[in-house]
Amino acid sequence: MTVDMAREDTLGRFALAVVLTGAFVAMMDTFVVNVAVPSIRADLGANEAEAELVVAGYTLTYAVGLIMGGRLGDAYGRRRMFLLGMAGFTGSSLACGLAPTPGALVAGRLVQGAAAAVLSPQVLAVIRVTFAEGARRARAFAAFGVAVGLASVLGQILGAAVVAADLFGLAWRPIFLLNVPLGVAVLLACPLVVRESRAAGSAGGPPRLDWSGAALGTTGLGLLLLPLVAGRQSGWPPWSLGMLAGSAVVLAIFVRQQAGKTAAGVSPLLDTRLLADPAFRLGAVVMLLFSATMPPLYLGYTMLLQTGFGAGALAAGLYFAPLALAFSLVSFVAGRVRRVSAGAMLVAGAVLHTLAGVLAALVCLAAPGWLPGGLLPAMILFGLGEGLFFTPILNVILSAVAERHAGVAAGVLSTMQRLGNSLGVAVLMAPFLAGGFAALAGCVAGLSLAAALLLGPLNRRYRAASSSMQSA
């Protein structure tokens, strides 16, 4: 028995390493391309619209496909869908790295985002069904939070370093080509260490796929996200506002349809009983709010450094090093501390993030002569807050979710994260362009404070759910 348990623990650790590698590269490719845009434009002759689609196209298809990706894993097997998504991601990364034209690069990025949407929900679902409730699962979710958080902050640094190194004279191309050997390694290792799992349908077999719901949900999210990722730089033309209005109608129809299918027990794309859980709803909103702060913060800081102070790509990337180091250290410590509750860490993270935004705004307004170095203490606080937040958040939200909802719950949370990313850039870059980094930092502080205030009721719901599960 002891030998079998030790073997299971070893396989679990290897499985975690494999799926987290997939999650890391999928998240990193959201950010790694930011600093490479000037190099891409110079090499391929891309215009501004094409360069924007290289960045935004990935985010768009990634976010739109996440709920469907989670449901595919529930129906056909999480390991199978992870492998399919990883194969697509690896192949499209190769296509991006070899792209001869801007159009080919944009097409590759669209496929890459769709593949990421298939693989990403499986990571959380695999963790949920592989690790038993308690400390092991908490550590696994903490490792996931560290992986995606580090991918976000290191994406800026690694992208800048790769472009500056100009490996083999390939300029920006290695930021995509480096995904290929990692992807091949994951594809070879995954069948050996990751067990297959799927959800059971009402008759005991796999749930049927809700294709009409998928069409409605994908259309609604597309109508919402396309204007968010492209409308701001276009000056919010009438088509973008029309699409936003249309998204509200389509998504309302989608929710009503899914509620009807849930009541009838006919395998909906989104089981609305999940949304009836107050803890899950609160957790999804907190994820949305906090996720909205990071991309505009990183993008605004990069623009401040490169446009405002003339820093090169590598120098701008290195300015993120204190944030990345703080994130890494606090995540490492937080994942191993047992005397501090997950809820307390969440609150501390959101509060530190709020204080960092206030400090950054004060430095910009009261001591502009200290910039950009004067912002480094605030960036360290941002890193500490993000590390404390992302280490426990998924364990708090997902631990009380039934296993049959693991895939779709992971898809919903990932969608909220990506939607928050897009909303943050669309909404918070406006005050940055109008009032500078101080205005952006103040808005980040406001959203972080809102998340902190919601954590009180979320933590109470989480403690109640955990207590009921332990007594069951």
Side-chain angles (χ1 to χ4, degrees), residues 54-343:
V54 169
V55 177
Y58 179 82
T59 301
L60 177 65
T61 53
Y62 192 170
V64 164
L66 280 165
I67 295 178
M68 186 62 179
R71 197 59 174 164
L72 285 169
D74 287 342
Y76 294 116
R78 285 122 187 185
R79 184 180 70 181
R80 179 180 297 173
M81 288 299 107
F82 178 83
L83 285 167
L84 179 63
M86 197 73 231
F89 187 88
T90 303
S92 56
S93 294
L94 179 62
C96 288
L98 300 178
T101 64
L105 180 56
V106 169
R109 287 285 280 173
L110 291 172
V111 174
Q112 194 184 36
V118 174
L119 77 88
S120 293
Q122 318 316 328
V123 178
L124 289 174
V126 165
I127 292 173
R128 175 68 176 74
V129 300
T130 299
F131 294 94
E133 181 69 37
R136 293 176 65 212
R137 183 182 292 172
R139 286 195 296 268
F141 278 131
F144 176 85
V146 172
V148 297
L150 276 179
S152 303
V153 297
L154 289 179
Q156 312 283 336
I157 301 171
L158 294 177
V162 168
V163 172
D166 192 18
L167 299 172
F168 308 108
L170 293 175
W172 54 273
R173 296 180 185 274
I175 66 174
F176 299 114
L177 295 176
L178 290 174
N179 291 334
V180 177
L182 280 174
V184 171
V186 167
L187 290 169
L188 293 174
C190 182
L192 302 177
V193 296
V194 178
R195 292 196 303 266
E196 185 61 281
S197 67
R198 56 172 56 87
S202 56
R208 294 175 298 171
L209 282 180
D210 176 12
W211 294 108
S212 62
L216 276 172
T218 300
T219 301
L221 286 173
L223 289 171
L224 174 63
L225 287 165
L226 182 58
L228 289 179
V229 300
R232 178 183 58 82
Q233 290 194 10
S234 303
W236 299 107
W239 65 261
S240 66
L241 301 179
M243 290 181 74
L244 288 173
S247 72
V249 175
V250 174
L251 289 174
I253 295 172
F254 169 72
V255 171
R256 183 168 184 176
Q257 180 213 43
Q258 295 301 292
K261 290 192 172 188
T262 299
V266 291
S267 295
L269 178 69
L270 176 62
D271 192 323
T272 53
R273 288 174 296 182
L274 181 65
L275 302 181
D277 181 352
F280 185 82
R281 287 202 310 269
L282 275 171
V285 173
V286 169
M287 180 71 83
L288 175 76
L289 291 173
F290 203 88
S291 298
T293 66
M294 294 172 63
L297 174 67
Y298 298 166
L299 180 58
Y301 191 46
T302 300
M303 292 176 65
L304 174 71
L305 293 167
Q306 291 186 307
T307 304
F309 291 93
L314 181 59
L318 290 176
Y319 266 97
F320 280 90
L323 188 156
L325 181 60
F327 183 99
S328 303
L329 290 175
V330 77
S331 298
F332 180 82
V333 173
R336 286 157 176 77
V337 172
R338 296 289 168 263
R339 291 187 298 273
V340 179
S341 72

Side-chain angles (χ1 to χ4, degrees), residues 412-453:
V412 170
L413 288 179
S414 297
T415 300
M416 297 303 282
Q417 185 177 21
R418 309 304 302 183
L419 179 58
N421 293 163
S422 298
L423 279 169
V425 173
V427 175
L428 298 191
M429 289 308 290
F432 171 76
L433 295 173
F437 196 76
L440 172 60
C443 292
V444 167
L447 284 181
S448 301
L449 179 60
L453 294 175

Side-chain angles (χ1 to χ4, degrees), residues 335-434:
R336 286 157 176 77
V337 172
R338 296 289 168 263
R339 291 187 298 273
V340 179
S341 72
M345 281 194 285
L346 278 177
V347 173
V351 170
L352 281 175
H353 215 252
T354 303
L355 294 176
V358 172
L359 176 59
L362 290 175
V363 169
C364 290
L365 294 173
W370 293 1
L371 300 178
L375 287 173
L376 291 179
M379 301 309 290
I380 292 172
L381 282 180
F382 278 127
L384 295 175
E386 290 166 11
L388 286 173
F389 181 88
F390 280 108
T391 300
I393 183 63
L394 292 166
N395 184 45
V396 168
I397 299 173
L398 287 178
S399 284
V401 172
E403 183 175 326
R404 68 181 182 275
H405 295 318
V408 71
V412 170
L413 288 179
S414 297
T415 300
M416 297 303 282
Q417 185 177 21
R418 309 304 302 183
L419 179 58
N421 293 163
S422 298
L423 279 169
V425 173
V427 175
L428 298 191
M429 289 308 290
F432 171 76
L433 295 173

